[in-house]
Amino acid sequence: MTRPRVLLVDDDEGICDFVRMALHDAGFDVATAQNGRVALELLPSFGPCLILLDMRMPQMDGWQFSRAYRASPGPHVPIVVVTAARDAEQSAAEIHADAHLAKPFRVADLIQIVRRLSTESPRS
Amino acid sequence: MRTRREPRSRKRIAARRRPAARVLKTVRVPAPVEPVFLRAQQHVARYFRDKTEDPEVGTISISGERYILLRAASMSVEFFDLVTSLYEDKGPQAARGVASNLLFDLAHAIGKADARAFQQRLGLKDPIEKLSAGPIHFSYSGWAFVDIFPESRPSADENYYLIYDHPFSFESDAWLKRGRSSELPVCVMNAGYSSGWCEESFGLPLVAVEIECLAAGGKHCRFIMAPPSRIEEHLARLGGDGSSRASRRRTARPSTPFSIPEFFQRKRLEDELRQSHESLERRVEERTAELTRTNELLRREVADRKRAEEVRDEFLSVAAHELKTPMTSLRGFAQVLLGQLDRNEMPDPQRLSHALRAIDRQSEKLAVLVSQLLDISRLEAGRLVLERTATDVVPIVESVVANARARTSRHPVEVHAPATLSAVVDPLRLEQVLTNLVDNAIKYSPDGGAIRVEAGHSKGHLRLVVADRGIGVPPEHRGRIFDRFYQAHPEQRLGGMGLGLYISRQIVDLHGGRMEAEFPPTGGTRVIVTLPPEPVTT
């Protein structure tokens, strides 16, 4: 049985660490990228059904990543903005994300959102 | 010397008429100056004898000078009436002021001009000679007869003083002939003409005041003439107890209110008005400039405050972000482990250890951030106090380096220090500074690279150097790296609140030391801390 795959893009090692654990326990395979550029490289081979995206990252931030991702050929999977900035909701709106999670968040909320969005069919 | 001065009748004067050469008949003067006036009488008489009237061409000439005849009443009572009607809305006092000023100015100007023309024509030089022609000319031209009192002192200085009567003033005559009387003296033109003539004769500003007037209920038309600066003094003397014996005997106390004329008062008032306008304009300009300056200061203050608020907002946003990140991991790991326990699963020891280490690391990050915030708050309140003690600095350096090595595998950390190095410092704060500098060296060398820490003495000072081969600081930002909230590479999202170097610099400053940054051409950053061996009292 193949597990659904989630790509987490975040520069904080601690966050990458526990999100990987939590989603693994919930039945997902997780790959992590410490910035947008690494994420773009990983995407074709990894083929996630969902992207968890931090906004403030070195080298390529969330805004730059989402522009590049949307410009790439589809299909495109849902994006969840996960940020510690005050304006998580606004950032999500700006990049047309499907959901947002403000740091610090409840693990249960993370799993619920990931489960909901990963069952949706990919869009073009 | 005459003992009484009653206005003489025309008949009496006519009776005294004798040959012009020997008897003074067109003026009365004190005996000592009679000879001068006799000569003047001869000159003036000769001048007026050569008179031709030619109505067919409309000319009256005297000794070749053209004259005009004016009806006396038109320049006195009738003129006052005309102006009074024109100034009905302003009241009789204002009207009288306007009429008097006009008549006085006109007569004073005519008096000056006549004196100059006549004196030139006769080639007169001596002031008394020049003066002497005036009263006689006055008689011949029909203005008034002049009776000068013996106490007059016509000297060419500020003591100049004349007291005299006009027994047949054309002005009071005009009022009396109409059966009219006035509250104030009316012989304004006479006063103006006489003072104009004398002023021209003596080259001295003079003013004449009619102190008693037949048309105003007086027994005489009596005048005094003096420089404007002295006239009030004379008026007070005549009106008060200080009057001389002579004036007590002969001069009645002024029986009517009088006013002191001022030649071209209009000009002075205009000048004053203009000056007041100009000073008002200047004040308005000054006030405007002042307001502009204040406005500009306020504008700058508002802009400064706005900028400070923006910096503070940005800091709060960064600080919140920095605090939330380790907190997210802390809560995340705790919830992952709790979730397992809730599902009655036992986390395997490796995962447990990994999670607890992460929790410990994140707690430490949080603790550092919180103590930075506390330090900032203490520094801003001026309450960051050092606890200095004689310290061996080398163990501190080694401990900081050991901790750094534990945190990074990609940055070899070299130490160059003697066996011991003593200084009087706050050991905990010095450790904080070194930790911050080494952390920065690691943080700003994202691609790895050696970090070198040196400790030693230089010119009796403790010298600490932390050098990296990292990304350095762009030249345009180098002046600001010790500023509060400043981050050299915000676009790199390397984390932190922009407080570390600022706090370190403040701690070094409190020690009386210096912190400087160098940027070698080969790249990287060298931060040099110099501390005095003993506390410096500032």
Side-chain angles (χ1 to χ4, degrees), chain A residues 15 17 25 57-58 103 107, chain B residues 328-329 335 351 354 492-493:
Chain A
I15 290 171
D17 239 12
D25 290 356
M57 292 175 292
K103 293 176 185 173
V107 170
Chain B
T328 305
S329 289
Q335 287 178 44
R351 172 183 266 206
H354 183 82
Q492 301 245 13
R493 311 266 185 223

Side-chain angles (χ1 to χ4, degrees), chain A residues 13-106:
Chain A
E13 280 176 38
I15 290 171
C16 289
D17 239 12
F18 87 81
V19 169
R20 192 188 293 114
M21 273 184 204
L23 290 182
H24 187 268
D25 290 356
F28 293 88
D29 264 354
V30 178
T32 57
Q34 68 265 36
N35 62 50
R37 186 164 299 135
V38 177
L40 286 175
E41 284 165 14
L42 268 176
L43 270 169
S45 57
F46 185 63
C49 62
L50 181 75
I51 298 169
L52 297 173
L53 180 66
D54 183 23
M55 297 308 288
R56 292 173 184 246
M57 292 175 292
Q59 297 187 35
M60 183 187 273
D61 65 21
W63 289 273
Q64 292 166 322
F65 167 78
S66 64
R67 265 200 303 278
Y69 178 59
R70 305 258 187 238
S72 69
H76 295 106
V77 298
I79 294 178
V80 180
V81 164
V82 185
T83 178
R86 281 184 291 193
D87 44 3
E89 194 174 352
Q90 194 195 324
S91 303
E94 279 167 15
I95 66 160
H96 307 290
D98 299 83
H100 65 270
L101 265 178
K103 293 176 185 173
F105 50 83
R106 293 192 335 133

